[in-house]
Coordinates of all heavy atoms in Angstrom, one line a residue:
M1 N -10.2 10.5 -18.7 CA -9.5 9.9 -17.5 C -8.1 9.7 -17.9 O -7.7 9.2 -19.0 CB -10.2 8.6 -17.1 CG -9.7 8.0 -15.9 SD -10.7 6.7 -15.4 CE -9.6 5.7 -14.5
Q2 N -7.2 10.0 -17.0 CA -5.8 10.0 -17.3 C -5.1 8.8 -16.5 O -5.4 8.6 -15.3 CB -5.1 11.3 -16.8 CG -3.7 11.4 -17.3 CD -3.2 12.8 -16.9 OE1 -3.7 13.4 -16.0 NE2 -2.2 13.3 -17.6
S3 N -4.3 8.0 -17.2 CA -3.6 6.9 -16.5 C -2.3 7.4 -15.9 O -1.7 8.3 -16.4 CB -3.3 5.8 -17.5 OG -4.4 5.2 -18.1
R4 N -2.0 6.7 -14.8 CA -0.8 7.1 -14.1 C 0.1 5.9 -13.9 O -0.4 4.9 -13.4 CB -1.1 7.7 -12.7 CG 0.1 8.1 -12.0 CD -0.2 8.8 -10.7 NE 1.0 9.0 -10.0 CZ 1.2 8.7 -8.7 NH1 0.2 8.2 -8.0 NH2 2.4 8.8 -8.1
Y5 N 1.3 5.9 -14.5 CA 2.2 4.8 -14.3 C 2.9 4.9 -13.0 O 3.4 5.9 -12.6 CB 3.2 4.8 -15.5 CG 2.5 4.5 -16.8 CD1 2.2 5.6 -17.7 CD2 2.1 3.3 -17.2 CE1 1.6 5.4 -18.9 CE2 1.5 3.1 -18.4 CZ 1.2 4.2 -19.2 OH 0.6 4.0 -20.4
V6 N 2.9 3.8 -12.3 CA 3.6 3.7 -11.0 C 4.6 2.6 -11.0 O 4.5 1.6 -11.7 CB 2.6 3.6 -9.8 CG1 1.7 4.8 -9.7 CG2 1.8 2.3 -10.0
C7 N 5.6 2.8 -10.1 CA 6.6 1.7 -9.9 C 6.2 1.0 -8.6 O 6.1 1.6 -7.5 CB 8.0 2.3 -9.7 SG 9.2 1.2 -9.3
V8 N 5.9 -0.3 -8.7 CA 5.5 -1.1 -7.6 C 6.5 -2.2 -7.3 O 6.9 -2.9 -8.3 CB 4.1 -1.8 -7.8 CG1 3.7 -2.6 -6.7 CG2 3.0 -0.7 -8.1
R9 N 6.9 -2.3 -6.1 CA 7.8 -3.4 -5.7 C 7.5 -3.9 -4.3 O 7.2 -3.1 -3.4 CB 9.3 -3.0 -5.9 CG 9.7 -1.9 -5.1 CD 11.2 -1.5 -5.5 NE 11.5 -0.2 -4.9 CZ 12.0 -0.1 -3.7 NH1 12.3 -1.1 -3.0 NH2 12.3 1.1 -3.2
F10 N 7.7 -5.2 -4.1 CA 7.5 -5.8 -2.8 C 8.9 -5.9 -2.2 O 9.9 -6.1 -2.9 CB 6.9 -7.2 -2.9 CG 5.4 -7.1 -3.3 CD1 5.0 -7.0 -4.6 CD2 4.5 -7.3 -2.2 CE1 3.7 -6.9 -4.9 CE2 3.1 -7.2 -2.5 CZ 2.7 -7.1 -3.9
G11 N 9.0 -5.8 -0.9 CA 10.2 -5.9 -0.2 C 10.0 -6.3 1.3 O 8.9 -6.6 1.7
L12 N 11.1 -6.2 2.1 CA 11.0 -6.5 3.5 C 11.4 -5.3 4.3 O 12.3 -4.5 3.9 CB 12.0 -7.6 3.8 CG 11.7 -9.0 3.2 CD1 12.8 -10.0 3.6 CD2 10.4 -9.5 3.7
S13 N 10.7 -5.1 5.4 CA 11.0 -4.0 6.3 C 12.3 -4.4 7.1 O 12.8 -5.5 7.0 CB 9.9 -3.8 7.3 OG 9.8 -4.9 8.2
N14 N 12.8 -3.5 8.0 CA 13.9 -3.8 8.8 C 13.7 -4.9 9.7 O 14.6 -5.6 10.2 CB 14.3 -2.5 9.6 CG 14.8 -1.4 8.7 OD1 15.3 -1.7 7.6 ND2 14.7 -0.2 9.2
R15 N 12.4 -5.2 10.1 CA 12.1 -6.3 11.0 C 11.7 -7.5 10.3 O 11.2 -8.5 10.9 CB 11.0 -5.8 11.9 CG 11.4 -4.7 12.9 CD 10.3 -4.3 13.8 NE 10.8 -3.3 14.7 CZ 10.1 -2.8 15.7 NH1 8.8 -3.2 15.9 NH2 10.6 -1.8 16.5
G16 N 11.8 -7.6 9.0 CA 11.5 -8.8 8.2 C 10.0 -8.9 7.8 O 9.7 -10.0 7.3
H17 N 9.2 -7.9 7.9 CA 7.8 -7.9 7.4 C 7.7 -7.5 6.0 O 8.5 -6.6 5.5 CB 6.9 -7.0 8.3 CG 6.9 -7.4 9.7 ND1 6.3 -8.5 10.2 CD2 7.6 -6.8 10.8 CE1 6.4 -8.5 11.5 NE2 7.2 -7.6 11.9
V18 N 6.8 -8.1 5.2 CA 6.6 -7.7 3.8 C 6.0 -6.3 3.8 O 5.1 -6.0 4.5 CB 5.7 -8.7 3.1 CG1 5.5 -8.3 1.7 CG2 6.3 -10.1 3.2
V19 N 6.5 -5.5 2.9 CA 6.0 -4.2 2.6 C 5.9 -4.0 1.1 O 6.5 -4.7 0.3 CB 6.9 -3.0 3.2 CG1 7.0 -3.1 4.7 CG2 8.3 -3.1 2.6
V20 N 5.1 -3.0 0.7 CA 4.9 -2.7 -0.7 C 5.3 -1.3 -0.9 O 4.9 -0.4 -0.2 CB 3.5 -2.9 -1.2 CG1 3.3 -2.5 -2.6 CG2 3.0 -4.3 -0.9
H21 N 6.2 -1.0 -1.9 CA 6.6 0.3 -2.2 C 5.9 0.7 -3.5 O 6.0 0.0 -4.5 CB 8.1 0.4 -2.5 CG 8.9 0.1 -1.2 ND1 9.3 1.1 -0.3 CD2 9.4 -1.0 -0.7 CE1 10.0 0.6 0.7 NE2 10.1 -0.7 0.5
V22 N 5.2 1.8 -3.5 CA 4.5 2.3 -4.7 C 5.1 3.7 -4.9 O 4.9 4.6 -4.1 CB 3.0 2.4 -4.5 CG1 2.3 3.0 -5.7 CG2 2.4 1.0 -4.2
D23 N 5.8 3.9 -6.0 CA 6.6 5.1 -6.2 C 7.5 5.3 -5.0 O 8.2 4.5 -4.7 CB 5.7 6.3 -6.5 CG 5.0 6.2 -7.9 OD1 5.6 5.5 -8.8 OD2 4.0 6.8 -8.1
D24 N 7.3 6.5 -4.4 CA 8.2 6.8 -3.2 C 7.5 6.5 -1.9 O 8.0 7.0 -0.8 CB 8.6 8.2 -3.3 CG 9.5 8.5 -4.5 OD1 10.2 7.6 -4.9 OD2 9.5 9.6 -5.0
H25 N 6.4 5.8 -1.8 CA 5.7 5.6 -0.6 C 5.7 4.2 -0.2 O 5.6 3.3 -1.1 CB 4.2 6.1 -0.8 CG 4.1 7.6 -1.0 ND1 4.3 8.5 -0.1 CD2 3.9 8.3 -2.2 CE1 4.2 9.7 -0.6 NE2 3.9 9.6 -1.9
K26 N 5.7 3.9 1.1 CA 5.8 2.6 1.6 C 4.4 2.2 2.3 O 3.8 3.0 3.0 CB 6.9 2.4 2.7 CG 7.0 1.0 3.2 CD 8.3 0.9 4.1 CE 8.3 1.7 5.3 NZ 9.4 1.4 6.2
F27 N 3.9 1.0 2.0 CA 2.7 0.5 2.5 C 2.9 -0.7 3.4 O 3.7 -1.6 3.0 CB 1.7 0.2 1.4 CG 1.2 1.4 0.6 CD1 2.0 1.9 -0.4 CD2 0.0 1.9 0.9 CE1 1.5 3.0 -1.1 CE2 -0.5 3.0 0.2 CZ 0.3 3.6 -0.8
I28 N 2.3 -0.8 4.5 CA 2.4 -1.9 5.4 C 1.1 -2.7 5.5 O 0.0 -2.1 5.2 CB 2.8 -1.5 6.8 CG1 1.8 -0.5 7.4 CG2 4.2 -0.9 6.8 CD1 2.1 -0.1 8.8
K29 N 1.2 -4.0 5.8 CA 0.0 -4.8 5.8 C -0.9 -4.4 6.9 O -0.5 -4.2 8.1 CB 0.4 -6.3 6.0 CG -0.7 -7.3 5.8 CD -0.2 -8.7 6.1 CE 0.8 -9.2 5.1 NZ 1.1 -10.6 5.2
H30 N -2.2 -4.2 6.6 CA -3.1 -3.7 7.6 C -4.1 -4.8 8.0 O -4.3 -5.0 9.2 CB -3.9 -2.5 7.0 CG -4.9 -1.9 8.0 ND1 -4.5 -1.1 9.1 CD2 -6.2 -1.9 8.0 CE1 -5.5 -0.8 9.7 NE2 -6.6 -1.2 9.1
E31 N -4.7 -5.5 7.0 CA -5.6 -6.6 7.3 C -5.6 -7.6 6.1 O -5.4 -7.2 5.0 CB -7.0 -6.1 7.6 CG -7.7 -5.3 6.5 CD -9.0 -4.7 7.0 OE1 -9.4 -5.0 8.1 OE2 -9.5 -3.9 6.2
C32 N -6.0 -8.8 6.5 CA -6.0 -9.9 5.5 C -7.4 -10.5 5.5 O -8.0 -10.7 6.6 CB -5.0 -11.0 5.7 SG -3.3 -10.4 5.8
Y33 N -7.9 -10.9 4.3 CA -9.1 -11.7 4.3 C -8.9 -12.7 3.1 O -8.9 -12.3 1.9 CB -10.4 -10.8 4.0 CG -11.6 -11.6 3.9 CD1 -12.2 -12.2 5.1 CD2 -12.2 -11.9 2.7 CE1 -13.3 -13.0 5.0 CE2 -13.4 -12.6 2.6 CZ -13.9 -13.2 3.7 OH -15.1 -13.9 3.7
K34 N -8.8 -14.0 3.4 CA -8.5 -15.0 2.5 C -7.2 -14.6 1.7 O -6.2 -14.4 2.3 CB -9.6 -15.3 1.6 CG -10.8 -15.9 2.3 CD -12.0 -16.3 1.4 CE -13.1 -16.8 2.3 NZ -14.2 -17.2 1.5
K35 N -7.3 -14.4 0.4 CA -6.1 -14.0 -0.3 C -6.0 -12.5 -0.6 O -5.1 -12.1 -1.3 CB -6.0 -14.8 -1.6 CG -5.8 -16.3 -1.4 CD -5.6 -17.0 -2.7 CE -5.3 -18.5 -2.3 NZ -5.0 -19.3 -3.5
K36 N -6.9 -11.7 -0.1 CA -6.9 -10.3 -0.3 C -6.2 -9.7 0.9 O -6.4 -10.1 2.0 CB -8.3 -9.7 -0.4 CG -8.9 -9.8 -1.7 CD -10.2 -9.0 -1.8 CE -10.8 -9.2 -3.1 NZ -12.1 -8.4 -3.2
I37 N -5.3 -8.7 0.6 CA -4.6 -8.0 1.7 C -4.8 -6.5 1.5 O -4.6 -6.0 0.3 CB -3.1 -8.3 1.6 CG1 -2.8 -9.8 1.8 CG2 -2.3 -7.6 2.7 CD1 -1.4 -10.3 1.6
R38 N -5.1 -5.8 2.5 CA -5.2 -4.4 2.5 C -4.0 -3.8 3.1 O -3.6 -4.1 4.2 CB -6.5 -3.9 3.2 CG -6.7 -2.4 3.1 CD -8.1 -2.0 3.6 NE -8.2 -0.6 3.5 CZ -8.1 0.3 4.5 NH1 -7.8 -0.2 5.7 NH2 -8.2 1.6 4.4
W39 N -3.4 -2.9 2.4 CA -2.1 -2.3 2.8 C -2.4 -0.8 3.0 O -3.1 -0.2 2.2 CB -1.0 -2.4 1.7 CG -0.8 -3.8 1.2 CD1 -1.5 -4.5 0.3 CD2 0.3 -4.6 1.7 NE1 -1.0 -5.8 0.2 CE2 0.2 -5.9 1.0 CE3 1.4 -4.5 2.5 CZ2 1.0 -6.9 1.1 CZ3 2.2 -5.5 2.7 CH2 2.1 -6.7 2.0
T40 N -1.9 -0.2 4.0 CA -2.1 1.2 4.3 C -0.7 1.9 4.3 O 0.3 1.3 4.6 CB -2.8 1.5 5.6 OG1 -2.1 0.8 6.7 CG2 -4.2 1.0 5.6
C41 N -0.7 3.2 4.0 CA 0.5 4.0 4.1 C 1.2 3.9 5.4 O 0.5 3.9 6.5 CB 0.2 5.5 3.7 SG 1.6 6.5 3.8
C42 N 2.5 3.8 5.4 CA 3.2 3.7 6.7 C 3.0 5.0 7.6 O 3.4 5.0 8.8 CB 4.7 3.4 6.5 SG 5.6 4.7 5.7
K43 N 2.6 6.1 7.0 CA 2.3 7.3 7.7 C 0.9 7.5 8.2 O 0.5 8.5 8.6 CB 2.7 8.5 6.8 CG 4.1 8.5 6.3 CD 5.1 8.8 7.4 CE 6.5 8.9 6.7 NZ 7.5 9.3 7.7
R44 N 0.1 6.4 8.2 CA -1.3 6.4 8.6 C -1.5 6.9 10.0 O -2.3 7.8 10.3 CB -1.9 5.0 8.4 CG -3.4 5.0 8.8 CD -4.0 3.6 8.5 NE -3.4 2.6 9.4 CZ -3.9 2.3 10.6 NH1 -5.0 2.8 11.0 NH2 -3.3 1.3 11.3
I45 N -0.7 6.3 10.9 CA -0.9 6.7 12.3 C -0.3 8.1 12.6 O -0.8 8.9 13.2 CB -0.4 5.6 13.3 CG1 -1.2 4.3 13.1 CG2 -0.3 6.1 14.7 CD1 -0.6 3.1 13.8
Q46 N 1.0 8.2 12.1 CA 1.7 9.5 12.4 C 1.1 10.7 11.8 O 1.0 11.7 12.5 CB 3.1 9.3 11.9 CG 4.1 10.4 12.1 CD 5.4 10.2 11.5 OE1 5.6 9.3 10.8 NE2 6.4 11.1 11.8
L47 N 0.6 10.6 10.6 CA 0.1 11.8 9.9 C -1.4 11.7 9.4 O -1.9 12.6 8.8 CB 0.9 12.1 8.6 CG 2.4 12.4 8.9 CD1 3.2 12.6 7.6 CD2 2.6 13.6 9.7
G48 N -2.0 10.6 9.7 CA -3.4 10.4 9.3 C -3.6 10.2 7.9 O -4.7 10.4 7.3
C49 N -2.6 9.7 7.2 CA -2.7 9.5 5.7 C -3.7 8.3 5.4 O -3.6 7.3 6.0 CB -1.3 9.1 5.1 SG -1.3 9.0 3.3
K50 N -4.6 8.6 4.5 CA -5.6 7.6 4.1 C -5.3 6.8 2.9 O -6.2 6.1 2.4 CB -6.9 8.3 4.0 CG -7.4 8.9 5.3 CD -8.7 9.5 5.3 CE -9.0 10.1 6.6 NZ -10.4 10.1 7.0
A51 N -4.1 6.9 2.3 CA -3.8 6.2 1.1 C -3.7 4.7 1.4 O -3.3 4.3 2.5 CB -2.4 6.6 0.6
S52 N -4.2 3.9 0.5 CA -4.2 2.4 0.7 C -4.3 1.7 -0.6 O -4.6 2.3 -1.6 CB -5.4 2.0 1.6 OG -6.6 2.2 0.9
I53 N -3.9 0.4 -0.6 CA -4.0 -0.4 -1.8 C -4.5 -1.8 -1.3 O -4.4 -2.1 -0.1 CB -2.7 -0.6 -2.5 CG1 -1.6 -1.2 -1.6 CG2 -2.2 0.7 -3.2 CD1 -0.3 -1.5 -2.4
T54 N -5.1 -2.5 -2.2 CA -5.6 -3.9 -1.9 C -5.0 -4.8 -3.0 O -5.0 -4.5 -4.2 CB -7.1 -4.0 -2.0 OG1 -7.7 -3.1 -1.0 CG2 -7.6 -5.4 -1.7
T55 N -4.4 -5.9 -2.5 CA -3.8 -6.9 -3.4 C -4.6 -8.2 -3.3 O -5.1 -8.5 -2.3 CB -2.3 -7.1 -3.1 OG1 -2.1 -7.6 -1.8 CG2 -1.5 -5.8 -3.3
H56 N -4.6 -8.9 -4.4 CA -5.1 -10.3 -4.4 C -4.1 -11.1 -5.2 O -3.8 -10.8 -6.4 CB -6.5 -10.3 -5.1 CG -7.1 -11.6 -5.1 ND1 -7.0 -12.5 -6.1 CD2 -7.9 -12.2 -4.2 CE1 -7.6 -13.6 -5.9 NE2 -8.2 -13.5 -4.7
N57 N -3.5 -12.1 -4.5 CA -2.4 -12.9 -5.1 C -1.3 -12.0 -5.7 O -0.8 -12.2 -6.8 CB -3.0 -13.8 -6.2 CG -3.8 -14.9 -5.7 OD1 -3.7 -15.3 -4.6 ND2 -4.8 -15.3 -6.5
S58 N -0.9 -11.0 -4.9 CA 0.2 -10.1 -5.2 C -0.1 -9.2 -6.4 O 0.8 -8.6 -6.9 CB 1.5 -10.8 -5.4 OG 1.9 -11.5 -4.3
V59 N -1.3 -9.0 -6.8 CA -1.7 -8.1 -7.9 C -2.6 -7.0 -7.3 O -3.5 -7.3 -6.5 CB -2.5 -8.8 -9.0 CG1 -3.0 -7.9 -10.0 CG2 -1.6 -9.9 -9.6
I60 N -2.3 -5.8 -7.6 CA -3.1 -4.6 -7.0 C -4.4 -4.6 -7.7 O -4.5 -4.5 -9.0 CB -2.4 -3.3 -7.2 CG1 -1.1 -3.3 -6.4 CG2 -3.3 -2.1 -6.8 CD1 -0.2 -2.0 -6.6
V61 N -5.5 -4.8 -6.9 CA -6.9 -4.8 -7.5 C -7.6 -3.5 -7.1 O -8.7 -3.2 -7.7 CB -7.6 -6.0 -7.0 CG1 -7.0 -7.3 -7.6 CG2 -7.7 -6.1 -5.5
R62 N -7.1 -2.7 -6.2 CA -7.8 -1.5 -5.8 C -6.7 -0.6 -5.2 O -5.8 -1.0 -4.5 CB -8.9 -1.8 -4.7 CG -9.6 -0.5 -4.4 CD -10.7 -0.8 -3.3 NE -11.6 -1.8 -3.8 CZ -12.4 -2.4 -3.0 NH1 -12.5 -2.2 -1.7 NH2 -13.2 -3.4 -3.4
S63 N -6.9 0.7 -5.5 CA -5.9 1.7 -4.9 C -6.5 3.0 -4.7 O -7.4 3.4 -5.4 CB -4.7 1.8 -5.9 OG -5.1 2.4 -7.1
H64 N -6.0 3.6 -3.6 CA -6.4 5.0 -3.3 C -5.0 5.6 -3.0 O -4.5 5.4 -1.9 CB -7.3 5.1 -2.1 CG -7.6 6.5 -1.6 ND1 -8.3 7.3 -2.3 CD2 -7.1 7.1 -0.5 CE1 -8.3 8.5 -1.7 NE2 -7.6 8.4 -0.6
L65 N -4.4 6.3 -3.9 CA -3.0 6.8 -3.8 C -2.9 8.3 -3.5 O -1.8 8.8 -3.8 CB -2.2 6.4 -5.0 CG -2.2 4.9 -5.3 CD1 -1.5 4.6 -6.6 CD2 -1.4 4.2 -4.2
Q66 N -3.9 8.9 -2.9 CA -3.8 10.3 -2.6 C -3.2 10.4 -1.1 O -3.9 10.1 -0.2 CB -5.1 11.0 -2.7 CG -5.6 11.1 -4.1 CD -6.9 11.8 -4.2 OE1 -7.7 11.9 -3.2 NE2 -7.2 12.3 -5.4
H67 N -2.0 10.9 -1.0 CA -1.4 11.0 0.3 C -1.5 12.5 0.7 O -1.6 13.4 -0.1 CB 0.1 10.7 0.2 CG 0.4 9.3 -0.2 ND1 0.6 8.3 0.7 CD2 0.5 8.6 -1.4 CE1 0.8 7.1 0.1 NE2 0.7 7.3 -1.2
N68 N -1.5 12.7 2.1 CA -1.6 14.0 2.6 C -0.2 14.5 3.1 O -0.1 15.4 3.9 CB -2.6 14.1 3.7 CG -2.2 13.3 4.9 OD1 -1.2 12.5 4.9 ND2 -2.9 13.5 6.0
H69 N 0.9 13.9 2.5 CA 2.2 14.3 2.9 C 3.1 14.1 1.6 O 2.6 13.6 0.6 CB 2.8 13.4 4.0 CG 2.7 12.0 3.7 ND1 3.7 11.2 3.2 CD2 1.6 11.1 3.9 CE1 3.3 10.0 3.1 NE2 2.0 9.9 3.5
S70 N 4.3 14.6 1.6 CA 5.1 14.4 0.4 C 6.1 13.3 0.5 O 6.2 12.6 1.4 CB 5.9 15.7 0.2 OG 6.5 16.2 1.3

C-alpha cells in the first residue's frame, strides 16, 4: 500500500462559509453529525464527483479522494 501526502488547509469561501482545500480540490460542508462533518467536492452537483472527506474536530478521519475531473 502506498501513502500519498496531501496538502490540507481550511479556509473561507467568497460568501464566508468554511471550506477545506485538499491539494488542488475544494470541499464544501455537506452534513454534520455531532462533531463529525462530511465534506463533498465542490463539483459534486455540476460534474457528479463523488470525492469526499470526513472530519472530526478538524482532523480528517476518512477520505475518498478519487475525483472524476482534473
Side-chain angles (χ1 to χ4, degrees):
M1 186 169 154
Q2 191 175 24
S3 295
R4 179 173 173 230
Y5 295 100
V6 294
C7 177
V8 178
R9 61 187 168 87
F10 288 82
L12 293 176
S13 70
N14 293 338
R15 295 184 179 180
H17 300 284
V18 178
V19 296
V20 180
H21 295 272
V22 177
D23 289 336
D24 295 330
H25 298 284
K26 181 169 66 173
F27 291 82
I28 57 175
K29 191 182 291 187
H30 183 72
E31 60 186 351
C32 303
Y33 180 73
K34 296 186 181 180
K35 293 187 178 186
K36 281 189 179 180
I37 302 173
R38 183 166 179 262
W39 306 81
T40 56
C41 179
C42 68
K43 303 287 185 179
R44 181 178 66 92
I45 294 172
Q46 182 182 7
L47 299 176
C49 184
K50 295 185 183 210
S52 66
I53 59 174
T54 302
T55 59
H56 184 267
N57 291 330
S58 299
V59 175
I60 295 176
V61 294
R62 184 181 303 166
S63 64
H64 173 73
L65 298 175
Q66 292 180 340
H67 297 266
N68 65 350
H69 54 93
S70 48

